[in-house]
Amino acid sequence: MHQIADLIAIFDSTFYQSHNSRLIKGADEPIYLPADEQTTYHQIVFAHGFYASALHEIAHWLVAGEKRRLLEDYGYWYCPDGRDKHQQAEFEAVEVKPQAIEWALSAAAGFDFNVSVDNLNGEQTCRFAFQQRVHQHLLSLLASGFNQRTYALLKALSDFYKTPWPLTSAQFVWQHPGELSDAV
């Protein structure tokens, strides 16, 4: 049901003309590449043709402002897998917003969402505590509204996949597993 070619077409039809940006299926690590002498458009390169990777990389693009979208990987330094506790906390603080948007994109596409702490070989943190922060940020975005680019893509995904529109907080019911055991 979720073909990467469909997502690429939806993204390109929504943003290629207006933002000179394209979604590109990559081989290995994801990267954002602004237009240059070799390539006349901005590239959101996602890993291995995975649908979830594409949604995640799109979410980062949707968060990035106009100036950041002129810099490779939006001008951020990425600390790879193997982060210590402090580095992981910094990673999660930065990842809350894009993962909240990714969750909304996933819902609009009718695709299962899973948070990613992305640190398999490093300090392990509570995935559920991070998901709780992502969930709270998502609810805040639903209440305050998404930026124009995010709104446009959410609507395009919902139209294509015939999912409920507009998105509401009722579509994102989630509780920390610790809270569930307390209720019993």
Side-chain angles (χ1 to χ4, degrees):
M1 176 173 158
H2 290 93
Q3 301 298 315
I4 201 61
D6 294 334
L7 184 56
I8 289 170
I10 293 165
F11 185 89
D12 285 0
S13 70
T14 307
F15 298 116
Y16 181 57
Q17 283 191 315
S18 63
H19 289 79
N20 193 35
S21 299
R22 302 196 74 184
L23 185 59
I24 307 294
K25 179 181 168 184
D28 294 318
E29 291 297 315
I31 189 167
Y32 173 75
L33 300 168
D36 59 20
E37 300 80 36
Q38 289 81 32
T39 308
T40 60
Y41 53 86
H42 310 296
Q43 301 175 75
I44 303 164
V45 181
F46 63 97
H48 307 290
F50 296 141
Y51 199 93
S53 176
L55 290 177
H56 183 78
E57 296 311 314
I58 290 168
H60 277 285
W61 183 82
L62 292 167
V63 169
E66 193 172 333
K67 289 181 182 177
R68 289 245 180 231
R69 293 193 311 270
L70 297 176
L71 305 171
E72 183 173 318
D73 261 352
Y74 315 107
Y76 292 116
W77 174 75
Y78 176 71
C79 186
D81 189 355
R83 293 179 289 277
D84 63 27
K85 187 174 185 173
H86 176 73
Q87 291 169 324
Q88 184 62 21
E90 287 180 348
F91 170 83
E92 289 179 12
V94 170
E95 280 289 309
V96 167
K97 188 170 186 177
Q99 289 200 33
I101 291 171
E102 180 186 352
W103 197 343
L105 295 171
S106 296
F111 187 77
D112 289 335
F113 170 77
N114 292 298
V115 296
S116 174
V117 293
D118 195 29
N119 200 30
L120 300 174
N121 298 312
E123 181 75 28
Q124 296 302 305
T125 59
C126 180
R127 181 177 184 274
F128 297 123
F130 177 59
Q131 185 162 354
Q132 187 171 32
R133 291 191 306 273
V134 171
H135 182 252
Q136 287 302 313
H137 193 78
L138 172 59
L139 295 179
S140 174
L141 288 169
L142 288 166
S144 64
F146 294 94
N147 68 37
Q148 289 179 335
R149 288 178 299 135
T150 304
Y151 182 87
L153 187 57
L154 288 169
K155 180 72 169 106
L157 289 168
S158 180
D159 288 348
F160 183 85
Y161 289 105
K162 312 265 186 276
T163 57
W165 186 259
L167 295 177
T168 67
S169 59
Q171 293 170 264
F172 300 95
V173 175
W174 183 83
Q175 275 191 294
H176 189 292
E179 294 173 7
L180 296 175
S181 64
D182 293 343
V184 176

